[in-house]
Amino acid sequence: MSPEPLALPAADWPAWLDGYVRDRLRSATEILTVVRDGSRRDTATVLALWNDADIALRGAGSAAHLFGEVHPDAEVRALAEDLLRDVDRATTDRDLDRGLYDVVAATDPAGPDDAATRMREHVLRDFRRSGVDRDDEVRSRLREISERLTVLEQEFGRTIREDVRSIRVGAEQLDGLPDDFVADHPVQDGLVTVTTDYPDYLPFRTYSRDARARRDLTLEFESRGWPANDAVLHEILDLRHEKARLLGYDSWPDYDAAVKMIGSGGAIAEFIRQISGAAADAGARDLETLLARRRVDDPDATAIDRSELGYYTELVRREQYDVDAREVRRYFDFQRVRAGLLEVTGRLFGVQYRPVDVARWHEDVAVYDVYSDGQRRGRIYLDLHPREGKYKHAAQFDLVGGITDRLLPEGVLVCNFSRGLMEHQHVVTLFHEFGHLVHHVLGGGQEWARFSGVATEWDFVEAPSQMLEEWAWDATVLRTFAVDETGAPIPADLVERMQAAKEFGKGISVLTQVGYAEVSYLLHQDRPDDHTPVVSESVSRYSHVAGLPQTHFQTSFGHLAGYTSAYYTYMWSLVIAKDLFSAFDADDLFEPTVAQRYRDRILAPGGSRDAADLVADFLGRPFTFDAFAAWMDRAPIPRTIS
């Protein structure tokens, strides 16, 4: 009999959430007490008990983390943050418990099977990385650091979530914006309010013809979290460095990278150099084209800054590639896009999504059960529109980790999209984030919680999502759901032009990501006294797109909390994603043999094997840099427009 999904409450959320999390904390404590008594020494029994406790802790942490970010009630969000601190404290206590470590270490290294052996190795590695083998004084300090980091990272994220800024502009300053945007932003007291939330920020910086207004909004967007998060970030970086040194590493990047594909902090710096070199020519071409177009408006212009990049990129694509994003968005009504996403991924991965009417935390949330071969495989929640107090970026959150025959995997997609027409860029983002969600569900058939879902090395987790973006650019795929207000599907010729236009700007886009990767690396590696000049230089060094003075990008760079020094992950994963995609037939992205092999060999194993082995199994060889380099070398070809 298939396990049942988690039943969320229809009311009294504080009581439900408190009870749910504390019940699991209690269960984990009781199970670990049994492990600690030392009477059960056989590997199978010890690991099974450990797994039960791990399931309970992960379940408690997932719920507390999710609802601290998305629940519409500030009281529930505050409660969730308190509960998450309790979960993290319990997890830290477990990982620093020498008695527990001794019990696990005393078991037979050769487990009952390969999966159990791998599980045991990872548990012991996690113990050592937590500092369980250090003396009492060091363990005590590591515990203090862990608890303080939880508080600081919550504060960092909360500040970003709640710091929504805005500018007030005259109606004439909406010139260039799509009609539906103008209609959704009425004049009040003689002015229009435009916020830093993504449904406002992205269209305004792309289409508004008013350079001053674009600059003003960009200044506000890149100043979120300032100054409140400045001291918070400094303390986070200092504590991470101290933790790494206490554990025998030279720096936080070295500690963090040791369990990733990349291997070491020094390798991050080398990878940044490699990627920036591969993208340098493409970036230079992009910048030359953008500057030439800007000089049409301002003959004395010598640079492009971050408030101008989106606007002039859009102008070049419109004028040289005959792609007007305002025209493109007519084909991407949110409701149709969401339905199309489910149809496309269902066909690709051999699953069906059945809507279910169950209790949820907000009326915007859509809920689906996921079926395959007639059996329910999981449940997904789609929370896709902005609201006050909600997480501001786009991400997949776990709600329940899947365990074979015990727990259905349940995941939540949290984004901030328009309710009406979507930018195609946001459609691509939706496909990307859904890649994480389907990975969580399809990888949820595991015996061990440690390996369930998106549980591979952290610098691989973006690769399946980045690869799924390709389906949002395919003409055959798009025609299945991208239709205009008359019901006419998006023309194949338009998609062809969109694909050509996409090639323009990829150099600067990659180099911008390289700059972000260097920010996350250098802030952890060097811990400068003043972050802002280091960040400003890194963000502009590779792309040569100038930052704006008096902005503080780092205080709203939420990835510094979760990804820490590993933002390079996005480019590392993209190299792999390009290689993975090379196995698909570009003329038939639904070809069932390769799609099934991809599902079975990349997604379904979760973290049960090393990522490099998963990729080699799928490709029939180790991954290479070749597909990425070829993509970078491919120059855009402007369309001749009469």
Side-chain angles (χ1 to χ4, degrees):
M1 184 174 177
S2 177
E4 289 296 311
L6 177 63
L8 297 179
D12 200 6
W13 269 88
W16 177 87
L17 183 60
D18 189 70
Y20 179 83
V21 172
R22 294 198 185 284
D23 283 350
R24 277 146 189 79
L25 285 176
R26 229 176 348 260
S27 176
T29 299
E30 292 169 358
I31 295 167
L32 291 173
T33 298
V34 173
V35 176
R36 193 183 296 106
D37 73 14
S39 62
R40 294 168 174 82
R41 294 291 183 178
D42 63 289
T43 305
T45 301
V46 169
L47 291 182
L49 288 167
W50 180 274
N51 194 42
D52 289 343
D54 200 25
I55 290 169
L57 280 174
R58 288 171 184 269
S62 293
H65 184 204
L66 170 67
F67 295 121
E69 296 283 3
V70 304
H71 202 280
D73 188 333
E75 176 189 357
V76 175
R77 294 198 302 272
L79 170 64
E81 290 188 355
D82 288 343
L83 291 170
L84 185 58
R85 288 194 287 272
D86 290 341
V87 175
D88 285 352
R89 188 176 301 112
T91 304
T92 299
D93 288 345
R94 178 196 68 176
D95 294 347
L96 287 171
D97 189 319
R98 185 59 190 245
L100 283 174
Y101 171 77
D102 289 341
V103 170
V104 178
T107 59
D108 188 345
D113 54 42
D114 290 344
T117 299
R118 177 179 171 86
M119 172 65 179
R120 179 183 180 276
E121 291 169 352
H122 277 67
V123 170
L124 292 174
R125 186 186 73 179
D126 294 343
F127 265 126
R128 290 189 292 270
R129 284 177 58 79
S130 296
V132 73
D133 53 351
R134 306 290 159 161
D135 62 39
D136 291 345
E137 182 179 354
V138 170
R139 288 207 309 275
S140 177
R141 179 56 184 157
L142 287 168
R143 181 178 286 104
E144 292 173 355
I145 290 173
S146 178
E147 292 181 5
R148 181 60 179 160
L149 280 172
T150 298
V151 172
L152 291 168
E153 288 163 3
Q154 286 181 332
E155 184 177 349
F156 189 77
R158 187 190 318 115
T159 298
I160 297 170
R161 191 171 67 237
E162 295 178 354
D163 190 5
V164 179
R165 304 190 179 195
S166 63
I167 61 172
R168 298 270 284 163
V169 299
E172 71 280 0
Q173 291 174 287
L174 299 185
D175 183 34
L177 272 296
D179 291 343
D180 61 299
F181 185 98
V182 175
D184 288 341
H185 292 75
V187 174
Q188 295 178 329
D189 300 324
L191 295 172
V192 176
T193 299
V194 183
T195 76
T196 54
D197 278 344
Y198 282 105
D200 277 10
Y201 176 67
L202 177 61
F204 196 86
R205 70 187 290 268
T206 303
Y207 305 123
S208 174
R209 295 191 177 101
D210 191 307
R212 177 60 182 271
R214 291 196 312 270
R215 184 181 179 87
D216 288 347
L217 187 62
T218 305
L219 283 167
E220 294 297 334
F221 183 84
E222 299 203 345
S223 297
R224 292 171 303 146
W226 179 267
N229 268 346
D230 184 48
V232 174
L233 182 57
H234 273 282
E235 188 175 356
I236 286 173
L237 298 172
D238 287 346
L239 288 174
R240 287 175 180 164
H241 178 76
E242 182 183 357
K243 177 178 178 177
R245 294 301 298 267
L246 287 172
L247 293 170
Y249 293 86
D250 290 336
S251 68
W252 177 265
D254 280 326
Y255 168 79
D256 188 57
V259 291
K260 292 180 169 63
M261 298 179 78
I262 203 164
S264 71
I268 297 175
E270 177 57 35
F271 180 68
I272 287 172
R273 284 191 289 271
Q274 182 182 18
I275 287 289
S276 62
D281 289 345
R285 286 196 305 264
D286 291 344
L287 185 63
E288 181 180 357
T289 302
L290 288 170
L291 272 173
R293 178 58 186 85
R294 192 185 166 212
R295 289 187 184 115
V296 173
D297 297 338
D298 178 4
D300 296 327
T302 59
I304 291 284
D305 70 32
R306 284 168 69 84
S307 73
E308 299 163 333
L309 178 59
Y311 178 74
Y312 281 103
T313 298
E314 167 63 14
L315 277 185
V316 169
R317 288 172 176 166
R318 189 184 310 160
E319 296 170 357
Q320 298 186 24
Y321 296 86
D322 195 19
V323 176
D324 186 340
R326 295 170 300 183
E327 174 71 13
V328 170
R329 69 200 300 275
R330 290 177 45 234
Y331 294 94
F332 295 107
D333 171 78
F334 169 78
Q335 296 289 343
R336 294 195 186 100
V337 170
R338 185 178 66 184
L341 170 75
L342 298 178
E343 181 180 348
V344 168
T345 55
R347 180 180 172 189
L348 182 64
F349 298 119
V351 299
Q352 302 83 43
Y353 305 97
R354 300 181 188 176
V356 289
D357 185 12
V358 294
R360 58 222 195 271
W361 55 95
H362 192 274
E363 61 184 8
D364 281 346
V365 179
V367 189
Y368 301 85
D369 281 346
V370 184
Y371 285 80
S372 177
D373 300 323
Q375 291 190 333
R376 183 164 53 186
R377 305 293 185 181
R379 174 169 286 180
I380 60 173
Y381 295 80
L382 307 183
D383 187 353
L384 302 180
H385 304 303
R387 60 178 175 269
E388 184 179 356
K390 180 187 166 187
Y391 182 77
K392 293 301 175 190
H393 197 52
Q396 181 261 322
F397 289 77
D398 295 355
L399 178 55
V400 177
I403 302 294
T404 302
D405 298 327
R406 295 177 63 181
L407 293 172
L408 282 174
E410 300 185 51
V412 183
L413 201 59
V414 180
C415 301
N416 291 275
F417 299 135
S418 166
R419 299 174 188 274
L421 299 180
M422 298 176 66
E423 304 294 325
H424 181 253
Q425 180 178 336
H426 277 171
V427 177
V428 174
T429 297
L430 180 58
F431 270 72
H432 173 103
E433 298 300 342
F434 200 85
H436 292 306
L437 193 61
V438 77
H439 196 177
H440 175 72
V441 171
L442 294 180
Q446 308 296 328
E447 177 182 3
W448 306 105
R450 180 68 172 72
F451 303 138
S452 182
V454 187
T456 63
E457 294 95 322
W458 197 250
D459 43 4
F460 175 73
V461 297
E462 297 295 338
S465 288
Q466 289 168 325
M467 197 194 74
L468 193 59
E469 293 178 19
E470 302 284 356
W471 275 254
W473 288 98
D474 182 78
T476 301
V477 171
L478 290 177
R479 284 177 65 85
T480 65
F481 65 86
V483 299
D484 66 13
E485 62 278 5
T486 71
I490 190 168
D493 176 65
L494 175 56
V495 178
E496 183 180 347
R497 285 180 275 133
M498 289 165 59
Q499 293 169 342
K502 179 182 67 166
E503 294 298 304
F504 171 74
K506 67 185 177 185
I508 282 182
S509 177
V510 166
L511 291 171
T512 299
Q513 292 295 305
V514 169
Y516 296 163
E518 185 172 82
V519 166
S520 82
Y521 173 69
L522 288 182
L523 291 188
H524 284 86
Q525 182 69 24
D526 297 342
R527 295 176 300 116
D529 292 334
D530 186 352
H531 294 160
T532 297
V534 173
V535 170
S536 179
E537 182 180 353
S538 291
V539 166
S540 61
R541 175 185 296 129
Y542 300 100
S543 67
H544 300 291
V545 175
L548 298 184
Q550 307 304 313
T551 56
H552 310 276
F553 168 76
Q554 70 276 9
T555 58
S556 63
F557 191 11
H559 288 79
L560 291 174
Y563 280 65
T564 72
S565 58
Y567 192 85
Y568 77 88
T569 286
Y570 282 92
M571 288 298 99
W572 180 277
S573 293
L574 185 59
V575 170
I576 299 175
K578 291 296 182 185
D579 209 4
L580 292 174
F581 187 63
S582 69
F584 285 81
D585 181 353
D587 295 324
D588 182 8
L589 294 185
F590 293 105
E591 198 284 315
T593 302
V594 66
Q596 185 67 40
R597 190 171 84 248
Y598 175 79
R599 170 183 164 167
D600 292 346
R601 300 187 184 186
I602 296 292
L603 302 181
S608 62
R609 299 178 64 192
D610 288 349
D613 293 335
L614 297 177
V615 175
D617 189 26
F618 172 69
L619 292 175
R621 56 168 174 78
F623 73 90
T624 72
F625 202 80
D626 296 348
F628 178 87
W631 173 62
M632 276 283 94
D633 288 342
R634 191 166 62 238
I637 302 175
R639 180 186 179 94
T640 301
I641 305 172
S642 58

